[in-house]
Amino acid sequence: MVKVLDGNPINEHFWTFFGALSNVEYAITVTDTQTGLTRRYYNPPKRFASVGDTESFGPRGAKSAIAEATGTAGEPLLVDHYFDPAALKASCAAGPSQLCLNGDRFAVAAEWEDFQGNSGTGTAVALTTDTGYFWFFNSSNIEVVLKV
C-alpha cells in the first residue's frame, strides 16, 4: 500500500508511506507533476517491507539524491529521488499502467518481477480521484493500493 499525505504545514513536504502487500519484487514510482520530482520505492523479492518517507516531495527534495531505507526484514529498500523535466511538460495521463491522483498532481506506476524472472508493469485501476490500485497477475488479486 502506498499513501501520500500533505505534511506541508509540519515540515514543508508531502509524505509517502509504503507497505508491501506482496513479496514479489516490485518498484513503485510516484511523480509530482507540478514540480517534476519523482520518488521510486523498491520492494525486494521474497520480502514484505515498509517505508515512512516524511521528506518525499518538498523544497529539500529538489536536488538529485539516493537515499536508503531499511525494510522490516532488514533488507535495503532503494529510495531514488530525481527530477523529471518531462513531468512538467504534460499533464498526467491516466492509462492502463498509470494512475493520476490528487487532481492529476501525482502520477503513479508500478513494475514487477516474479521469482522465475518474469516481469511486467502493474495494471492501474482508479477508484476515486485520490485512490486506486494495481494488479500484477490477475485482476481479482490486488497487489498495490494507493491513496493521495
Side-chain angles (χ1 to χ4, degrees), residues 5 7 10 16 31 35-37 41 47 50 59 64-65 73 79 82 89 103 106-107 134 140 143-144 147:
L5 298 174
I10 297 169
T16 304
T31 302
T35 65
L37 295 176
Y41 299 95
R47 297 281 192 239
S50 53
S64 265
V79 182
Y82 57 93
K89 295 179 182 173
F106 293 97
F134 289 94
S140 65
E143 300 286 350
V144 178
K147 179 178 180 178

Side-chain angles (χ1 to χ4, degrees), residues 5-62:
L5 298 174
D6 185 354
N8 277 290
I10 297 169
N11 72 345
E12 298 179 338
H13 283 78
F14 280 88
W15 302 354
T16 304
F17 299 95
F18 148 58
L21 299 178
S22 174
N23 66 350
V24 173
E25 177 180 9
Y26 62 88
I28 304 295
T29 304
V30 181
T31 302
D32 183 341
T33 60
Q34 288 186 6
T35 65
L37 295 176
T38 297
R39 261 311 204 207
R40 186 171 174 87
Y41 299 95
Y42 172 73
N43 187 72
K46 301 180 183 177
R47 297 281 192 239
F48 291 99
S50 53
V51 165
D53 182 359
T54 58
E55 295 187 349
S56 55
F57 297 99
R60 291 187 298 265

